[in-house]
């Protein structure tokens, strides 16, 4: 998935308010999770890495229970500015539906080498300092054929919580505090 070619090919920027994206250097190590009410609701985990946002679509969203393995489908790299995006992608456009910034913060790569190297090797651990997601999380690649499937799993640390569902307890945007259904066509 080199750069933003696939991201741009899928979108008509005359129609959608999503950013086209510039490949620039800047403040590193941001992460964001978008809650995306597309045809099927999912959560898009994005980690800033090599000037883009490495991205995964997590159908059930993250779980703070280390016993839960959440499917995370790798999606195309997104531009860094996408971290700020909240709004509605119009009907007929790729990913049509409403997007909110469900969580945001910074991450630290845990382990040897860079995050990019770890992702290439198929296993990465990160420490998230978000408003909702905190502590250690791991991403492990399951297979490459027909798109990459990964598993997102909470590590067993002080931020693990087996009792509560984070996605149910905290449905709102961390940017505007609105729920998905409070955002209309604008
Ligand atoms: Mn999405």
């Amino acid at each position: 998935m080199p750069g933003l070619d696939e991201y741009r090919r899928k979108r008509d920027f005359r129609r959608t308010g999503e950013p086209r994206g510039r490949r620039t250097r800047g403040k590193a190590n941001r992460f964001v999770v978008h809650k995306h009410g597309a045809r099927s609701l999912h959560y898009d985990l994005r980690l800033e890495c090599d000037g883009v946002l490495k991205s995964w679509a997590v159908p059930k969203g993250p779980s703070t229970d280390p016993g839960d393995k959440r499917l995370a489908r790798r999606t195309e790299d997104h531009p860094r500015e996408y971290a700020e995006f909240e709004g509605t992608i119009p009907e007929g456009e790729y990913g049509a539906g409403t997007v909110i910034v469900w969580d945001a913060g910074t991450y630290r790569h845990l382990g040897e080498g860079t995050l990019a190297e770890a992702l290439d090797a198929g296993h990465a651990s990160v420490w998230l300092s978000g408003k909702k997601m905190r502590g250690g999380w791991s991403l492990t690649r399951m297979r490459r054929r027909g798109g990459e499937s990964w598993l997102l799993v909470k590590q067993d640390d002080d931020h693990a919580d087996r009792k509560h569902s984070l996605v149910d307890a905290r449905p709102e945007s961390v940017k505007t505090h609105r729920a998905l259904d409070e955002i209309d066509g604008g």
Side-chain angles (χ1 to χ4, degrees):
M1 273 173 237
L4 299 173
D5 292 350
E6 183 181 352
Y7 172 87
R8 288 180 180 142
R9 186 156 32 79
K10 285 177 169 172
R11 290 167 175 79
D12 181 349
F13 296 101
R14 292 164 301 187
R15 287 180 43 81
T16 180
E18 297 165 290
R20 189 168 191 285
R22 291 162 283 130
R23 197 180 173 111
T24 54
R25 300 276 161 205
K27 195 169 61 173
N29 291 354
R30 278 195 306 176
F31 89 94
V32 63
V33 179
H34 285 111
K35 184 176 180 180
H36 186 181
R39 190 163 300 135
S40 57
L41 176 72
H42 59 272
Y43 295 76
D44 291 295
L45 168 65
R46 311 190 196 280
L47 301 172
E48 186 171 27
C49 178
D50 286 351
V52 295
L53 298 174
K54 303 290 181 189
S55 298
W56 293 260
V58 185
K60 291 184 176 176
S63 170
T64 55
D65 183 345
D68 284 344
K69 296 180 170 66
R70 290 292 161 88
L71 176 66
R73 290 198 190 86
R74 187 75 181 268
T75 55
E76 75 274 23
D77 295 346
H78 279 49
R80 290 171 58 253
E81 306 96 293
Y82 208 95
E84 312 291 332
F85 180 76
E86 187 161 282
T88 300
I89 301 167
E91 277 307 315
E93 278 300 294
Y94 182 75
T98 301
V99 175
I100 60 172
V101 178
W102 180 79
D103 199 10
T106 57
Y107 77 86
R108 196 156 46 83
H109 176 229
L110 303 173
E112 299 292 307
T114 65
L115 176 66
E117 290 166 349
L119 293 175
D120 282 346
H123 182 75
S125 295
V126 289
W127 185 271
L128 299 182
S129 301
K131 293 195 168 76
K132 298 174 184 174
M133 293 177 76
R134 292 180 171 272
W137 297 75
S138 68
L139 279 162
T140 305
R141 188 168 55 216
M142 303 303 287
R143 61 173 185 269
R144 298 195 84 132
R145 286 166 53 119
E148 293 185 19
S149 292
W150 295 61
L151 292 176
L152 173 67
V153 182
K154 180 73 193 75
Q155 293 178 355
D156 198 354
D157 56 31
D158 287 350
H159 299 281
D161 181 349
R162 292 167 177 81
K163 292 199 182 80
H164 304 100
S165 162
L166 192 57
V167 293
D168 290 343
R170 303 288 305 276
E172 81 287 356
S173 163
V174 295
K175 188 174 174 182
T176 59
H177 307 289
R178 294 183 296 182
L180 206 57
D181 60 11
E182 292 176 82
I183 297 179
D184 53 27

